[in-house]
Amino acid sequence: MPPYPSPRTRKVSVTVEKAARTAPAVIVAIDGPSGTGKSSTSKAVAAQLGLSYLDTGAQYRAITWWMVSNGIDVADPSAIAAVAEKPEIVSGTDPSAPTITVDGTDVGGPIRTQEVTSKVSAVSAVPEVRARITELQRSLAASAVYGIVVEGRDIGTTVLPDADLKIFLTASPEARAARRSGELKGADVNATREALIKRDAADSSRKTSPLAKADDAVEVDTSDLTLQQVIECVVTLVEEKRAAK
Ligand code: DC
């Protein structure tokens, strides 16, 4: 990597910044189950439009990591609720280099382990955890001067019900499992498919703000689309909303 952006990169990013500064701030909620291309799409759309980016799944993973690291029994919702306020979770919202720390420790790697992935649904179902993380998400969205793309499961329904644009990404279980096992570098597709279905069922059936499509969300089925096509589709929808503001 060169130490400075090339003149072309610099020109493009200056143009993006200028466009974001002159356009009204826009709040975009992108929800859907895992493996639908949510993170890649959200980051690329935010970068392309000069917006901030927030991965809310990373926040739930971070609090889960803290629970596991501190020996909290994740099968006991009251034990989780009792300490839900303790960890300090900080999200960096630059789409080209999103970060997440817990009590000052970079947990970008540890939150992606199998152990955290298998426990995050139980921790994120606890109402005290959701209240805490939802408050963090709303304050980050409110402080994003040029606007923000927030990705998750309950953003359009609960966290930001007044978002300017709500997108709900879907894909067939087969497409999602194939993508996820590619990301996990060769993991067994069938095992990945079963794990995804199990996690979706838990995320969709919990009592507090389950994974759900908002009534006013635009549904995009990504099964047969390339990532670039999904990004273009969402960028067009955001630009239309901005033009109408
Ligand atoms: O997007 P992800 O796979 O990193 O999300 C991890 C878990 O976090 C997911 O299984 C459910 C939970 N989650 C949630 O409950 N609400 C959100 N807004 C985002 C994620």
Side-chain angles (χ1 to χ4, degrees), residues 26-37:
V26 68
I27 305 274
V28 182
I30 303 191
D31 289 301
S34 44
T36 51

Side-chain angles (χ1 to χ4, degrees), residues 162-210:
D162 296 329
D164 297 293
L165 176 65
K166 299 176 186 177
I167 307 277
F168 195 80
L169 294 184
T170 61
S172 65
E174 290 67 30
R176 293 165 47 214
R179 286 175 193 158
R180 217 3 96 87
S181 52
E183 279 167 22
L184 299 175
K185 309 230 168 18
D188 177 67
V189 180
N190 284 331
T192 306
R193 184 173 177 275
E194 294 314 309
L196 276 180
I197 290 172
K198 199 171 152 206
R199 194 146 62 93
D200 286 350
D203 294 339
S204 305
S205 63
R206 66 171 174 242
K207 288 201 178 77
T208 314
S209 55

Side-chain angles (χ1 to χ4, degrees), residues 81-237:
V83 293
E85 289 291 329
K86 285 199 171 178
E88 192 200 5
I89 297 166
V90 177
S91 301
T93 58
D94 176 349
S96 62
T99 56
I100 181 121
T101 63
V102 179
D103 299 331
T105 301
D106 175 0
V107 292
I111 62 169
R112 306 285 163 195
T113 60
Q114 199 45 48
E115 184 177 26
V116 170
T117 302
S118 65
K119 293 180 171 160
V120 64
S121 290
V123 174
S124 60
V126 175
E128 287 79 356
V129 167
R130 298 209 74 80
R132 164 95 205 279
I133 302 288
T134 297
E135 193 186 313
L136 269 176
Q137 293 161 356
R138 288 184 179 146
S139 86
L140 281 166
S143 62
V145 182
Y146 305 119
I148 190 165
V149 178
V150 183
E151 61 143 309
R153 304 286 194 288
D154 61 338
I155 310 306
T157 53
T158 307
V159 179
L160 301 167
D162 296 329
D164 297 293
L165 176 65
K166 299 176 186 177
I167 307 277
F168 195 80
L169 294 184
T170 61
S172 65
E174 290 67 30
R176 293 165 47 214
R179 286 175 193 158
R180 217 3 96 87
S181 52
E183 279 167 22
L184 299 175
K185 309 230 168 18
D188 177 67
V189 180
N190 284 331
T192 306
R193 184 173 177 275
E194 294 314 309
L196 276 180
I197 290 172
K198 199 171 152 206
R199 194 146 62 93
D200 286 350
D203 294 339
S204 305
S205 63
R206 66 171 174 242
K207 288 201 178 77
T208 314
S209 55
L211 161 66
K213 175 182 170 293
D215 290 340
D216 52 349
V218 179
E219 184 164 337
V220 180
D221 184 343
T222 68
S223 308
D224 299 320
L225 299 177
T226 63
L227 175 61
Q228 201 48 44
Q229 287 171 325
V230 182
I231 294 167
E232 274 165 27
C233 166
V234 178
V235 163
T236 304
L237 291 168

